[in-house]
Amino acid sequence: MSTPQSAAPRLGARYATELADLVVPWRAAEAAAPEVLLLNESLAAELGLNPAYLRGDEGTRLLVGNHVPVGATPAAQAYAGHQFGGYSPRLGDGRALLLGEFPDGRDLHLKGSGRTPFARGGDGLAAVGPMLREYVISEAMHALGVPTTRSLAVTATGDTVYREQPLPGAVLARVAAGHERVGTFQFARALAAHEAEKAAARDNGNSAVPGGAGADHDDDNADSVLRRLADHAIARHHPDAADSDNPYLELFASVLRRQADLVARWMLLGFIHGVMNTDNTTISGETIDYGPCAFMESYDPATVFSSIDTGGRYAYGNQPGIVQWNLARFAETLIPLIDPDQDEAVRQLTEVLTTFPDEYQRAWAAGMRSKLGLGESTAGDETIRVLIDDLLALLTTTRVDFTNFFRHLTAAARGDEAGLRELFAAAPAGTCTEADPGAGEGPVDAWLARWRVHEPSAPEMALANPVYIPRNHLVEEALDAATAGDLGPVGQLLVVVADPYTERPGLERFTEPSPAGAAPHVTYCGT
């Protein structure tokens, strides 16, 4: 049922009600002069929301959290997390609020809506630029077929945010299947351990042990919070697990499969998340938090864009291993739910965790075969594996643009090799060492000859290889313009990335990598 133009959307409070131990009810800071900058009208329609309402006074106040619909319980979510490998026991929504759930079960979540009890010294605010970045990149990822949170709106607050310089403030309204994270389970496991300590102290006659964080707890069941969170995640995101012999073990296996598929999709597009902490690893299997993210241009597994990733922990090539590491942290939280015998629980969880490399490789190899048009090839897996390995070595050596290579290879499958020839001819001097790639005798041509033997499918490739990605330098240009008050470039960029697989005349600049000699691209968290 669509929402009447004059009525606020119906929002439930399932998470805040079922998991009161894991939230702090809170209200957004008052925005001085809220104004909608970008509204995702197609997403609004999908959610049954009326764009005219959202652009009106009440709807605009809703999008910054200053109007709360009946039935909603705005709350800051608690979670812990490993940040760059170091454990932080109390993170949480420092500048965000869960407003509630839509009738279809998806969350409406605000980012930049002011300080919460989890703000850890921050101001809880966000600037226009970083919020528009999340809008652009998340919508591009959605169009590219990657599971992701979605952006409903970016709304200017009329307030000034102080970073290195004064900036216009904004709030992002984000929609997701859910915001439960590995870090949420880490917090719940710690809370359960604390409850067990309280119970033990009570049994010993010691009533001076301090209580937990914020809500009444079930002292008769030390793992109550953890179990309720797991049950919530199963019912909401992994319902098939409920029918298995061990629902919690199947929950872990299901999350693992989704995360393996997700990171494979990132890798196939050259996407680098930049901050793969456990609090940014979702139980739903969606990409979340588009802070220091970017797209790789020249193929290099060591590529890092984030200003804070000085050790390269979250480099492009490390992403599958980091997801598995994060899943190991998830497994640790589930031990009390798997088996009364801790050693047996660890054995079962470890057995599932060791399936991650195969799950990832299966998803990645299938995607790479599609990118090469070899989905129906009769060649053996080993032959294709060697072909792919040799291609990646070639791309590493030649330093050609990753996205454009596959785009031109798609054209080559149709018989048009001009773009591919030009791409390699323009490669940095010294990278095509054996011969001129246009002469038909170099390593590029040797690889192409082996690839053609498999009769690649151009239609399959066209569906797997985007023409347009959010080019890093164009994103920065658009965000700089928007910060200065001109939303035109952001709007044009959104039009381009919303249809990434269709080549359109007049959009050639959106296919070009950063100019030669440009400074290395650096991204920031935007906090």
Side-chain angles (χ1 to χ4, degrees):
M1 180 183 298
S2 61
T3 302
Q5 180 172 339
S6 60
R10 290 183 293 121
L11 294 176
R14 179 180 178 186
Y15 188 93
T17 301
E18 293 183 3
L19 299 165
D21 308 74
L22 302 179
V23 301
V24 177
W26 206 253
R27 295 294 292 263
E30 286 293 323
E35 177 185 359
V36 176
L37 300 180
L38 281 179
L39 179 63
N40 191 334
E41 296 198 2
S42 62
L43 177 58
E46 184 181 315
L47 293 165
L49 304 178
N50 191 305
Y53 166 78
L54 293 175
R55 293 185 186 279
D57 178 67
E58 185 177 278
T60 300
R61 290 190 295 113
L62 169 71
L63 292 172
V64 295
N66 295 163
H67 170 71
V68 178
V70 174
T73 303
Q77 294 173 294
Y79 46 85
H82 278 85
Q83 298 185 305
F84 290 88
Y87 181 64
S88 296
R90 188 177 185 272
L91 295 173
D93 285 335
R95 60 168 179 168
L97 285 178
L98 174 65
L99 284 190
E101 298 90 13
F102 290 106
D104 71 357
R106 282 184 282 183
D107 285 351
L108 178 58
H109 192 255
L110 303 182
K111 191 172 181 179
S113 55
R115 285 178 50 82
T116 78
F118 303 109
R120 306 187 305 281
D123 61 14
L125 304 176
V128 164
M131 297 304 95
L132 289 176
R133 174 192 294 278
E134 178 150 345
Y135 190 113
V136 170
I137 305 298
S138 65
E139 287 307 293
M141 293 285 273
H142 174 70
L144 289 163
V146 180
T148 180
T149 59
R150 301 283 306 277
S151 295
L152 176 62
V154 174
T155 305
T157 60
D159 297 306
T160 299
V161 175
Y162 294 92
R163 298 293 182 257
E164 290 81 5
Q165 57 185 336
L167 297 168
V171 173
L172 173 78
R174 180 166 68 189
V175 174
H179 283 80
E180 303 92 334
R181 315 147 188 261
V182 169
T184 314
F185 278 80
Q186 290 178 296
F187 187 89
R189 174 69 195 276
L191 205 57
H194 179 72
E195 292 302 312
E197 292 175 2
K198 283 174 59 181
R202 185 182 62 245
D203 291 343
N204 290 331
N206 181 359
S207 60
V209 176
D216 293 332
H217 306 294
D218 180 4
D219 291 340
D220 295 327
N221 188 355
D223 65 5
S224 171
V225 178
L226 179 63
R227 190 176 299 275
R228 284 188 283 115
L229 175 61
D231 289 342
H232 178 95
I234 289 171
R236 191 174 190 190
H237 305 299
H238 305 274
D240 290 347
D243 297 326
S244 66
D245 292 338
N246 190 326
Y248 304 117
L249 187 64
E250 182 55 32
L251 167 64
F252 178 61
S254 184
V255 172
L256 181 148
R257 290 190 293 269
R258 288 196 193 180
Q259 286 291 334
D261 177 77
L262 179 65
V263 73
R265 291 173 187 265
W266 291 358
M267 299 296 285
L268 292 164
L269 293 168
F271 175 76
I272 301 170
H273 185 281
V275 60
M276 293 174 63
N277 299 328
T278 58
D279 56 293
N280 288 330
T281 303
T282 60
I283 303 305
S284 66
E286 292 178 311
T287 311
I288 191 172
D289 197 350
Y290 293 91
C293 64
F295 282 80
M296 178 178 66
E297 294 189 336
S298 298
Y299 180 82
D300 182 358
T303 303
V304 173
F305 293 112
S306 172
S307 64
I308 59 176
D309 192 4
T310 55
R313 177 181 175 86
Y314 299 144
Y316 169 75
N318 290 347
Q319 293 183 131
I322 289 295
V323 168
Q324 185 174 9
W325 191 91
N326 290 350
L327 288 166
R329 308 288 76 76
F330 181 39
E332 291 167 353
T333 72
L334 297 175
I335 289 172
L337 305 182
I338 300 300
D339 195 279
D341 183 333
Q342 178 171 300
D343 291 340
E344 176 60 18
V346 170
R347 185 195 68 77
Q348 292 181 40
L349 287 162
T350 300
E351 186 176 291
V352 174
L353 183 64
T354 58
T355 66
F356 179 85
D358 287 344
E359 291 287 347
Y360 166 74
Q361 189 61 33
R362 187 179 301 111
W364 181 84
M368 186 59 75
R369 289 177 74 111
S370 291
K371 289 178 77 68
L372 296 175
L374 306 180
E376 301 300 322
S377 172
T378 58
D381 289 344
E382 181 63 18
T383 300
I384 299 300
R385 186 190 67 78
V386 172
L387 184 72
I388 292 172
D389 287 348
D390 289 349
L391 171 61
L392 297 181
L394 180 64
L395 294 180
T396 301
T397 301
T398 57
R399 307 288 296 170
V400 298
D401 185 84
F402 183 74
T403 300
N404 281 341
F405 168 77
F406 286 102
R407 178 169 71 94
H408 291 308
L409 190 67
T410 303
R414 300 189 186 104
D416 179 6
E417 295 187 356
L420 196 64
R421 298 287 176 191
E422 292 174 7
L423 186 68
F424 281 101
T431 58
C432 296
T433 55
E434 295 184 26
D436 177 357
E441 300 174 357
V444 174
D445 296 272
W447 184 87
L448 287 173
R450 292 162 55 199
W451 168 69
R452 289 193 193 94
V453 167
H454 303 295
E455 300 181 348
S457 165
E460 180 184 15
M461 296 173 71
L463 296 174
N465 296 315
V467 178
Y468 310 104
I469 58 172
R471 292 283 178 179
N472 302 327
H473 63 291
L474 297 180
V475 170
E476 296 305 324
E477 285 179 12
L479 298 185
D480 287 346
T483 299
D486 179 8
L487 287 170
V490 165
Q492 186 179 20
L493 187 57
L494 281 168
V495 169
V496 173
V497 301
D499 187 10
Y501 295 100
T502 304
E503 191 159 6
R504 287 158 281 169
L507 300 180
E508 290 76 16
R509 70 183 294 260
F510 292 93
T511 69
E512 297 170 0
S514 56
H521 184 63
V522 179
T523 58
Y524 302 89
C525 276
T527 55

